[in-house]
Amino acid sequence: MRLPVIRSSAPLSGWRRFVPSGRTTVIGVPFLWLTVFFALPFVLVLKISFADLQMSIPPYTQLATVQDGVVHFALQLGHYAFLLQDSLYIATYISSLKMAAVSTVFCLLIGYPVAYCIARTEPGTRNLLMMGVMLPFWTSFLIRVYAWIGILKDDGLLNHALMSIGLIHEPIRLYHTDLGVYIGMVYSYLPFMVMPLYAHLVKMDLTLIEAAYDLGAKPWKTFLTITLPLSKNGIIAGSLLVFIPAVGEYVIPELLGGADTLMIGRVMWDEFFNNMDWPMASAVTVAMVMLLLVPMAVFQYYQVKEMEAKR
């Protein structure tokens, strides 16, 4: 009499535990990307910020050294103390926040009507208009900013056009000024405001607006009570997409700004490559990142609380 062969499924079930599901893979890939290209470099910069400057390769001291079998840790906190004491760094942070905030406001004032008009056009025309918004991304960012030099110079296209139609009689100084930096930043980051706004406005339920009109609401009242609140998340997303990179912008202030244009990106460049003070530059970088992460964390906390309240 032959006994039946019993095959155990334990190894197979154990193997399945290590096979990631589709959801885990989809979530894991972005997390892996952020870990490799954001978290690890930031940890390295954080480590350098606690080191001290020395004339060697690399140009900073090690945090941990071994002497006679004993590990010694040396953390240099003087760079962070210097950031709080030096008026130049404080003025630079304030100037960077101000220029980023003003650029974000202008991007919102210009981008909201653009996104609203695109969202209310016919689908075929809508796709063409969105293509026009995204076309600048097909050209190098550096080339697009560099082209503004020929537009904003005293003998540039803008001044020639204004003088030819009689609006001005002498060139307006725009190149190497803060105003030129604002123009360059609004131009460069405007698509980042338009796209999330468009994504929210195009999905809006138009029957709500029709119901408001039927109840006698005026257009401005309908916009303030229906359209604007429903597009709040798009406004927040677009503002963050503009404000965060604008704070640390380097290319636009360097090409269009003057010598007195204070931006934290230029200070970091000077510390890294001109002064070769990597620990100080790393401290400036960490302080800037923390300056941005804290408001984002607070915003995320209140967003989660708001979503839980709606449930």
Side-chain angles (χ1 to χ4, degrees):
M1 179 178 179
R2 296 185 61 183
L3 297 176
V5 179
I6 300 176
R7 293 184 174 87
S8 174
S9 60
L12 183 60
S13 62
W15 167 254
R16 287 175 179 171
R17 293 177 191 165
F18 296 98
V19 177
S21 63
R23 180 180 179 183
T24 304
T25 303
V26 170
I27 298 175
V29 170
F31 269 92
L32 180 63
W33 176 275
L34 291 174
T35 301
V36 174
F37 294 102
F38 176 77
L40 293 180
F42 180 74
V43 170
L44 179 60
V45 171
L46 181 64
K47 169 198 166 187
I48 297 175
S49 70
F50 290 109
D52 203 358
L53 178 65
Q54 69 175 7
M55 301 305 295
S56 64
I57 300 178
Y60 54 87
T61 59
Q62 299 297 322
L63 299 186
T65 57
V66 179
Q67 295 180 356
D68 299 329
V70 180
V71 180
H72 299 271
F73 290 95
L75 299 180
Q76 174 60 261
L77 302 178
H79 305 302
Y80 292 99
F82 187 70
L83 285 178
L84 299 175
Q85 297 171 0
D86 189 85
S87 59
L88 174 63
Y89 289 107
I90 296 175
T92 301
Y93 279 113
I94 295 175
S95 176
S96 298
L97 292 174
K98 182 196 74 173
M99 298 189 78
V102 172
S103 300
T104 302
V105 170
F106 276 100
C107 283
L108 179 60
L109 293 176
I110 299 172
Y112 198 101
V114 172
Y116 186 88
C117 292
I118 295 175
R120 294 296 174 264
T121 56
E122 296 295 328
T125 308
R126 185 188 306 161
N127 295 333
L128 291 176
L129 294 175
M130 283 304 299
M131 180 67 70
V133 173
M134 293 184 290
L135 272 178
F137 290 106
W138 296 8
T139 308
S140 170
F141 177 76
L142 181 61
I143 294 176
R144 286 187 282 126
V145 176
Y146 194 81
W148 276 97
I149 297 178
I151 299 174
L152 299 177
K153 286 195 304 184
D154 293 346
D155 58 344
L157 296 175
L158 181 59
N159 279 312
H160 276 300
L162 293 176
M163 286 189 293
S164 64
I165 61 178
L167 289 180
I168 60 174
H169 300 288
E170 60 181 14
I172 302 174
R173 181 165 179 77
L174 298 173
Y175 182 48
H176 282 166
T177 63
D178 288 352
L179 181 58
V181 176
Y182 283 125
I183 294 174
M185 293 179 72
V186 171
Y187 161 78
S188 300
Y189 291 113
L190 185 59
F192 293 98
M193 180 67 74
V194 173
M195 286 189 287
L197 284 172
Y198 165 79
H200 282 78
L201 290 170
V202 77
K203 298 177 183 178
M204 187 178 299
D205 188 0
L206 299 181
T207 58
L208 297 175
I209 299 178
E210 294 176 359
Y213 288 151
D214 293 338
L215 294 174
K218 295 182 179 180
W220 64 269
K221 185 70 173 179
T222 303
F223 174 78
L224 292 177
T225 56
I226 296 177
T227 306
L228 192 62
L230 291 178
S231 59
K232 180 185 69 172
N233 291 334
I235 294 174
I236 296 173
S239 299
L240 290 176
L241 287 175
V242 173
F243 181 80
I244 292 173
V247 171
E249 181 59 52
Y250 167 74
V251 174
I252 298 175
E254 183 66 22
L255 293 180
L256 303 181
D260 56 345
T261 301
L262 294 177
M263 289 290 288
I264 199 64
R266 299 181 73 178
V267 173
M268 285 189 291
W269 175 275
D270 291 338
E271 293 290 356
F272 265 117
F273 298 102
N274 294 339
N275 302 335
M276 292 299 294
D277 193 347
W278 287 24
M280 190 67 211
S282 299
V284 173
T285 305
V286 171
M288 184 194 71
V289 172
M290 296 306 298
L291 196 67
L292 296 175
L293 286 181
V294 171
M296 289 178 61
V298 174
F299 165 73
Q300 183 66 22
Y301 172 78
Y302 283 106
Q303 283 288 98
V304 173
K305 297 291 287 184
E306 183 178 351
M307 292 177 62
E308 291 178 351
K310 289 181 180 179
R311 293 177 185 175

